Amino acid sequence: MNIGILLKEGPYNHQASDTAYKFAEAAIAKGHKVDAVFLYNDGVTNVTKLGDPPQDDRNVAARWSELAKKNDFKVLACIAASKRRGINDDVLIDGSEITGLGTLTDIAIRNDRLLTFGD
Amino acid sequence: MNIGILLKEGPYNHQASDTAYKFAEAAIAKGHKVDAVFLYNDGVTNVTKLGDPPQDDRNVAARWSELAKKNDFKVLACIAASKRRGINDDVLIDGSEITGLGTLTDIAIRNDRLLTFGD
Amino acid sequence: MDTDIKKIMHVMRRAPHGSIYTYEGLEMILIMAAYEQDLSLVFIGDGIYALKKNQDTTGIGIKGFSRTFMALDGYDVEKLYVDRQSLEERGLTEDDLVVDVEVMDASEIGRLMTEQDVVIHH
Amino acid sequence: MDTDIKKIMHVMRRAPHGSIYTYEGLEMILIMAAYEQDLSLVFIGDGIYALKKNQDTTGIGIKGFSRTFMALDGYDVEKLYVDRQSLEERGLTEDDLVVDVEVMDASEIGRLMTEQDVVIHH
Amino acid sequence: MLHTINKSPFENNTFTTCVRFLQPGDPILFIEDGVYAVQDGNRFGALIQSMLKKNNPVYALKPDIDARGISAVADGVRMVDYAGFVDLVEEHQVNSWL
Amino acid sequence: MLHTINKSPFENNTFTTCVRFLQPGDPILFIEDGVYAVQDGNRFGALIQSMLKKNNPVYALKPDIDARGISAVADGVRMVDYAGFVDLVEEHQVNSWL
């Protein structure tokens, strides 16, 4: 099964990013393909490399970056939502890109599932 | 009356920042003193200068910066909350600073009111 | 029917202005409309308030967007469904809304949901 | 009584883990506790769930914090009040909670609220 | 003590929870999405009237009412603008129910 | 169609709203704060049982149940881990009620 993920909340403040990550990991472990993770609303703040969480906590941005690189997908931040929230190319983690909502439409069209996580 | 403001949500995604701003403006217009605006939870993202909202929309960060400078108060972002969310000294607007929760305690103690805005 | 055409339903569930979800949802819909998929919008619960006539956002300093729903017709997005119970509970009728909608029972909307390839809540 | 001492009430209203509000609220309380003000914590609605025994967050990959409430005693934060109706509605009793609390009626908690200099909801 | 409510009562229980804690005379101010509570003719009208009868003044923030196209509010509800919000805060300590 | 619910039913009406739209056979999965709905002995037990009787299978995400210290769940509720969540998504299209 080919899966797209739409993530609508930022890291830490809501559990959405954690659940999406755990789901993506489990899907990959079962041999499914994660095609892309698309970030919308406050979700775009998942890919800033400026985050510096406590040592004993998870690093959400780094974790997405590693999962994306290892499994050959991108974490895509909506450009309009990113501009509102101060996310630009200079702050992006590896494995992420800024793109338009047309890309989300393509993801919705070409995959078997589009799963939404948010608040 | 001396007023402290605690703002717990980021700009655009929730109305909290807009209401806090309109309240602060009205309080100042009536001759009250806004002592400080303290940002907590996702609220810390109110002070990133990297935001680039559409031309026909309000610029929340710039607006806080101007109000703070003109009326001699600071917009203070909690350091622990900021680190989680990728806010650091390099991205701060003029008129804002990163500080600790002790400062919020001082604000709570020394003002007549501490008003909370959030989700 | 072209098998590449997907049925995509957008479900509006939040009041306008208190949060950005409905507005950014509408931005998403306007882009998707250009892709000639089978789009529908459903308004449930407080989502209906986004369609309320006579919204004047001048005082809160936030750009209004209720009129943007009127533009959907021009993008050939014509399937706008409103949950009857949500409408009635809020003391509203179709006359209170800025666009023409089809008022439906929840069971009917639920059946449409099961036919979708993608459902996105805003 | 020193007039510089302020009565500050923290109201916990959210379930743990689904959002960060209770956890970051607790971080705020721990700092404020060092300032020797008159602090109290009130648990209303889903806020009570933060005190539930036997939380094991290993599976969701988020650090648990229910035990941190036990540390409050060491900071001389001893006023922990729980709304009786919220507790009963959730089928819980004091024995289900990680710390000793005082269970109170809403009217009593409401009266305490009016005595505060500052009330912060998390 | 001034209580503020910013959530729609149709989706969220904040308003009905807050009411249980209100003390005699405490005013309540609806802001943001909270203002849907005072829309005339909805099912929260009875609760609003019972508050008014118990001498709990009910206010709504006019700019938020206007932004949402609410044309009529329940009897006895007073409208304030941001300046009026400031006045209420000057008169009362504040309890913001988020 | 698989419906997911991530909000506590005590504070938010998402669950009760979703139920009105469920079709016969549609499974429902509680995740995140949504799992409080299936805690044994709470007031949502009757609604859960009526769903089960109408052949709407009810699932809860075990890691979220454990994280919240929920020791007993209502009769008939099935537990899944993230792998089980993936299996449900493979069987059904998904409707995430945020």
Side-chain angles (χ1 to χ4, degrees), chain D residues 28-53:
Chain D
M28 185 188 287
I29 292 160
L30 290 171
I31 300 292
M32 287 198 173
Y35 283 67
E36 302 190 338
Q37 303 299 303
D38 182 359
L39 290 194
S40 57
L41 273 68
V42 175
F43 298 83
I44 294 174
D46 280 356
I48 289 170
Y49 284 133
L51 298 177
K52 179 74 178 64
K53 279 181 184 162

Side-chain angles (χ1 to χ4, degrees), chain B residues 39-93:
Chain B
L39 309 175
Y40 201 51
N41 306 131
D42 271 358
V44 297
T45 61
N46 274 281
V47 285
T48 173
K49 65 183 175 199
L50 303 182
D52 181 18
Q55 290 294 330
D56 60 348
D57 197 0
R58 68 224 188 270
N59 186 320
V60 170
R63 197 168 69 171
W64 277 123
S65 175
E66 278 159 42
L67 193 72
K69 284 188 291 180
K70 194 179 294 176
N71 297 284
D72 203 29
F73 68 83
K74 293 279 182 204
V75 183
L76 301 164
C78 166
I79 184 163
S82 292
K83 286 185 132 193
R84 281 198 185 93
R85 293 159 179 94
I87 301 299
N88 60 36
D89 285 333
D90 298 337
V91 305
L92 290 189
I93 53 165

Side-chain angles (χ1 to χ4, degrees), chain D residues 45-46 48-49 85-92, chain F residues 10-11 39:
Chain D
D46 280 356
I48 289 170
Y49 284 133
Q85 181 174 326
S86 300
L87 188 69
E88 289 174 358
E89 279 179 351
R90 284 160 184 77
L92 299 175
Chain F
F10 289 97
E11 303 287 358
Q39 181 195 21

Side-chain angles (χ1 to χ4, degrees), chain B residues 6 8-9 40-41 80-81 84-85 101-106 108-112 114 116 119, chain D residues 4 6 8 14 20-21 23-29 31-32 35 37 117-122:
Chain B
L6 172 62
K8 287 163 57 73
E9 293 294 336
Y40 201 51
N41 306 131
R84 281 198 185 93
R85 293 159 179 94
L101 286 162
T103 309
L104 174 65
T105 314
D106 287 332
I109 292 172
R110 73 174 175 241
N111 286 289
D112 303 305
L114 179 69
T116 312
D119 176 42
Chain D
D4 282 355
K6 291 256 183 166
I8 303 177
R14 321 253 188 161
I20 204 171
Y21 300 106
Y23 177 66
E24 288 194 330
L26 190 52
E27 288 192 335
M28 185 188 287
I29 292 160
I31 300 292
M32 287 198 173
Y35 283 67
Q37 303 299 303
D117 296 300
V118 173
V119 178
I120 300 174
H121 288 243
H122 295 285

